[in-house]
Amino acid sequence: MGRKARFNKEGEVVKKGPGRKAKKQKDPSFLIPIPGKETSPDKKLSRHQKLRAKKRQQKVQERQQKQKLKQQSVKLTNGNNAVDESSEESDDDEFPLRPSTSGFSDENKLWLKPKKRKHEESDVEEEEESDDASENDEEESNEEQDEESEVEGEDESEAEDEDQSEVEDEDASENEDEDSLKVQKLSEFVDDDSDENDEFSDETDDDNNDDDMLPIEKQSKKLRKKQEKEDKLAEEELQMNIADQEKFIFPFMEAEKEVKSLQDVQQRIREVITVLSNFKTLRDGVHSRAEYLDILKDDLCVYYSYNDFLMEKLMQIFPLSELLEFLEASEVQRPLTIRTNSLKTRRRDLAQALINRGVNLDPVGKWSKVGIVVYSSQVPMGATPEYLAGHYIIQGASSMLPVMALAPQENERILDMSAAPGGKASHISAIMKNTGILFANDLNKDRIKAVVGNFHRMGVVNSVITCMDGRKYPSYMKGFDRVLLDAPCTGTGVVAKDQSVKTSKDEVDIQRCYNLQRQLLLAAIDCVSAKSSTGGYIVYSTCSILPEENEWVVDFALKKRNVKLVETGLDFGTDGFVNYRQHRFHPTLKLTKRFYPHTHNMDGFFVAKLKKFSDVIPKSDTTEEGEDEMSIVEPEEEKEEDKIEEPQPPRKKTKIDKNLPKTKNKDQKKKQGGTKEGKKEIKKVKVKDREQVEEIRTNKNITTANSQSNKKNKDKLKNKNKQQPESSNGKVSKKQNSEKKKLKQKTENQSNSNSATNKNIQSNIAHKKKKKKNSESSEDSKQVQKSKKIDWMDVPVQAASQLQKKMKKNKQKKQIGELKKSKKQRNSGNFNKKKMKKR
Ligand SMILES: C[S@@+](CC[C@H](N)C(=O)[O-])C[C@H]1O[C@@H](n2cnc3c(N)ncnc32)[C@H](O)[C@@H]1O
C-alpha cells in the first residue's frame, strides 16, 4: 500500500491519473545506496550520520594499521605457525573457495570464516534483500531512534560501501586485507556492543576465538554467558539470604515486631517458617515454639488480612507448609464452572453451542459427566441464550459433590432441607429425571424466590417448594428416602469468593453455626425413613473447612441418632478428621470427605453420607446431658431442641448467652428463668464497677482447681459411654444406666463441696449479698473466661432499679416532648386558618 519506488531506466513515470495522494506525495528517496543499483549522487547525510561515518573511518584506519603491525610482528616471530594454520584451514571443507593467503594469522582466522562464508554463500538476491532491509531501517528510523539499531544498520551498509571501495582501489592480491577489513566491520559491531555494556568486554575477547561463529551466534553466546553470570549472582544472593535467615533475630520488643512494608512481613514469614521447620537447630534458645508461632500468626494476619481468630483456627487445621498453600489459593478465585442441565440438553451439545459463541471450555474432570470448566468467554455466562433456556446453571465444582454423594434414584421422595437458590436441588431433580417428588425447602423467603426462578428456567417439574425452618420439618413431614442438608455455615471454604469471611467470623459465629447445624442435622435424620427400600440416606455438607462445623457436628449426630457413616462414593478428596487437637471423633469419620482449594482446585467443602438404620430416637438424647465430650461451649439444644432459634441472628449479647454453658443445677436454671426480664434491662446498663466482676472471675478460676476431681468423674462417665458398642449408638443397658446415675450423683456431691469453698471466698466480698448456691462446674468457668462474658447474675440488683428509674424518666421526657410537638402543630394549624380567613 505504500508508495512505490521507480527504478525504470528513464526515471519517467506515466501518470495514470491525478490522484490526490500522487499530487501531495513525492517519490520515495533512499538514503543508503542499494548495491548493484545506481544511487543519486546528491544523497544527503544527516549531521549525526556524517559524524558517525567519520568516526568509523578513523576506527577502520586505526585497526588497519594495528593489524598490519601485528601481522608483521607475527611473521617475524612465528613464521612457521602461519603456514601450519593456513594448511589446517585449507583442509576445511566448509570453506573450499577461501583463498589461501600468505598473510593468514591467528587473528584474522577468527574473523575470516564467517565473513567469507557469507560472501560465498549468499547470492546477489540475498544481498539485495539485506540491503533493502537496511534501507528500510534507514528510511524508517529517524535520528532520535534507538542508536544501537541505527548503528547496526549503518555499520553493515557502510561496511559494504567500504568493501566496495576497497575492492575498487586494491587489486585481487590484496583480498586478504579486504576480508580482514570486512570482518573488522563485524567485530566493530560487536565492539560497539561491548562499549555500551562493560559486562561484555571480556566476553568479546573470548568470542574472538570462536572462529566458526556467525555474528548472531556470537551474540547468542554472549547472552548465554550473561545469563550464566546472572544465575551465578542469583545463586550467591540466595545463599546470602539463607545465611541471613539462619540469623533470624527474634523481635523482643513490641516496636521491633512492627514491620514497615508487606515485603518485610513476607520476609519475616519466610524466616520464621524456616526456623520452625528446623526448630532445634535454628531457634534462638530463648523463645519457645509458641512464641515463634505467635509472631508468625500476627504476620500472616497482616499479610493475608485475616482476623486473629480465624488464622489461629487455620493454623490448627493445616501444617505450616500446607497453610501457606491454602492461604495463597484462597487469594485466587476458582475457575468458573457450569453444570449441564441433563433435563434439557447433553453436555456435548451444550459445549458445542457455547464454543460457537466463543466460549473456551473443557469438561470439569472425569468425576463428573455434567460439569464444564469455562476458561474464557466472549459473552457473559449468565446471559447466553443457552443459559436463559435453562441448558445449564453456573455452579461451583464442589457444589456438585454433595448431590453425587446423595445419589438420588428415580421415583424417590427426596428432601433438600436448605435448598436456596436451588443449585443442588435442580441437580437432584435432573438425576431423578423429573420423577418422584423433590421437596425443596429454605427458611429464607427471599432466597426461596431464586429456587422458583431456577426451577422454572431449568424445567424442574417434580418439586414442592416449601419455606419453613428445617428444624421443624420432621413435625410436618417424615418418611423421606433421602435428605440433603447443605447446611448454612461460616463459609470458610469460599474465602476466595467472599473475602469478608477473613475478618468477619469469630468464635460466636462458629458457635451459632454449629448449634444450628446440629439441630438441622438431627431434624434431617428424623425426616428420613430407615425402612426406605431404596434409600435411608442423609448427606450433610458445608462450604466450611472448620472441623467444628463438620466432623464435630456429624460426630454429635452419630451419638444422638441411629445412624452410621458410609462411603460418599466420591473417589477423590481428603479423608475427614478423626483426631483434631484434643478431640477424638468416631473412627468412621475418616469416611467423610474434605475438599480444599489448594489441593483440588475447588472451593473448600465437606461431605458426609449417613445411613439411618433405625427410626427409633435413642433415649440418651433426651435423658443424658452434657455427655458431649467435644464441646467447649455446650450447646443447649439437647434439652431445648424444640425451641427454635432464629438462624444467624444479629450479634447480640442475649444470643451469646444462649451459647453459654448449660447450667446443670436446676435451682440456678430457675433463677435465670425467673429474672429473664430483669436481665434484659440489666444488660443495657454499663458496668461501672468492673473490678467486682473481675474478682468474681478470679474466684471462679479457683473453683476450677477444686473441681478437677469432678472432671475425673465426668471422664469416667464418658469412658463408660465410649465402651458401649458403636452399633447400639446410645442404647444403654439398665446396668450401665444405674452406674451412670451413681457417678452423676458423685459428681454432684463433689460439686456441692466445691461450692462450699466458693462461698467462703465469695463471702469476703462485701458488696455481693446473694450468690449462687451451687458453684458452676469447672468447664463452665472456663467457658465464661473464654467467651469473656459478664455473668449478669452478679450485677447488683440496685443497678436494675436504677435502670428502671432511668427508663421511667426517659418515658416521661418522651411523653412531654410528644405533647409539646402536638401543641405546636395545633398552634401552627390555627395560625394557618387565621391567615386563610384574612385572605
Ligand atoms: C449453603 S446455603 C444452601 C445452598 C443450596 N443448597 C444450593 O446449593 O443452592 C444454606 C441455606 O440454608 C438456609 N437456612 C438457614 N437456616 C435454615 C433453617 N433453619 N432451615 C432451613 N434452611 C435454613 C439459608 O437460607 C441458605 O439458603
Side-chain angles (χ1 to χ4, degrees), residues 206-358:
D206 297 342
D207 287 348
N208 293 340
N209 297 325
D210 305 329
D211 49 351
D212 288 340
M213 285 189 173
L214 286 166
I216 290 170
E217 288 173 323
K218 281 182 186 174
Q219 267 190 314
S220 75
K221 196 182 174 185
K222 259 193 232 172
L223 284 170
R224 232 181 293 141
K225 280 188 178 174
K226 192 187 173 186
Q227 187 65 41
E228 276 167 20
K229 258 191 176 181
E230 278 174 8
D231 287 349
K232 254 189 183 179
L233 280 171
E235 181 63 28
E236 278 166 19
E237 209 174 307
L238 189 80
Q239 293 303 328
M240 270 168 65
N241 282 345
I242 290 167
D244 285 348
Q245 280 169 1
E246 283 170 7
K247 286 170 199 165
F248 172 68
I249 300 156
F250 195 92
F252 294 93
M253 311 297 287
E254 278 301 314
E256 284 175 18
K257 281 182 188 173
E258 284 172 17
V259 274
K260 283 163 199 165
S261 69
L262 269 184
Q263 277 177 337
D264 292 345
V265 179
Q266 194 190 25
Q267 177 65 23
R268 201 161 70 183
I269 289 170
R270 273 195 221 137
E271 287 170 359
V272 175
I273 286 178
T274 325
V275 175
L276 286 167
S277 60
N278 193 2
F279 194 64
K280 267 187 187 175
T281 48
L282 298 181
R283 64 180 294 193
D284 64 355
V286 181
H287 293 92
S288 66
R289 199 182 177 85
E291 283 168 308
Y292 277 90
L293 280 169
D294 266 355
I295 283 200
L296 180 64
K297 188 181 76 184
D298 291 346
D299 285 348
L300 288 174
C301 284
V302 172
Y303 194 73
Y304 292 102
S305 314
Y306 280 76
N307 66 15
D308 244 36
F309 169 76
L310 194 55
M311 187 54 76
E312 198 171 327
K313 285 274 166 216
L314 295 176
M315 286 173 89
Q316 285 162 0
I317 294 171
F318 298 112
L320 281 183
S321 56
E322 209 185 336
L323 172 71
L324 285 189
E325 280 175 33
F326 171 81
L327 292 173
E328 280 297 325
S330 296
E331 294 298 299
V332 191
Q333 288 254 352
R334 305 274 71 75
L336 178 74
T337 47
I338 58 173
R339 179 177 56 76
T340 316
N341 179 16
S342 55
L343 290 175
K344 289 206 169 179
T345 186
R346 288 183 303 174
R347 182 164 70 172
R348 202 193 314 150
D349 299 338
L350 173 66
Q352 191 55 57
L354 291 175
I355 287 166
N356 292 344
R357 292 196 189 284

Side-chain angles (χ1 to χ4, degrees), residues 456-478:
H456 273 302
R457 190 173 60 83
M458 302 187 82
V460 174
V461 291
N462 66 337
S463 67
V464 174
I465 298 173
T466 56
C467 182
M468 63 166 86
D469 192 320
R471 290 168 292 184
K472 280 182 180 173
Y473 226 90
S475 58
Y476 292 103
M477 216 177 295
K478 278 183 177 180

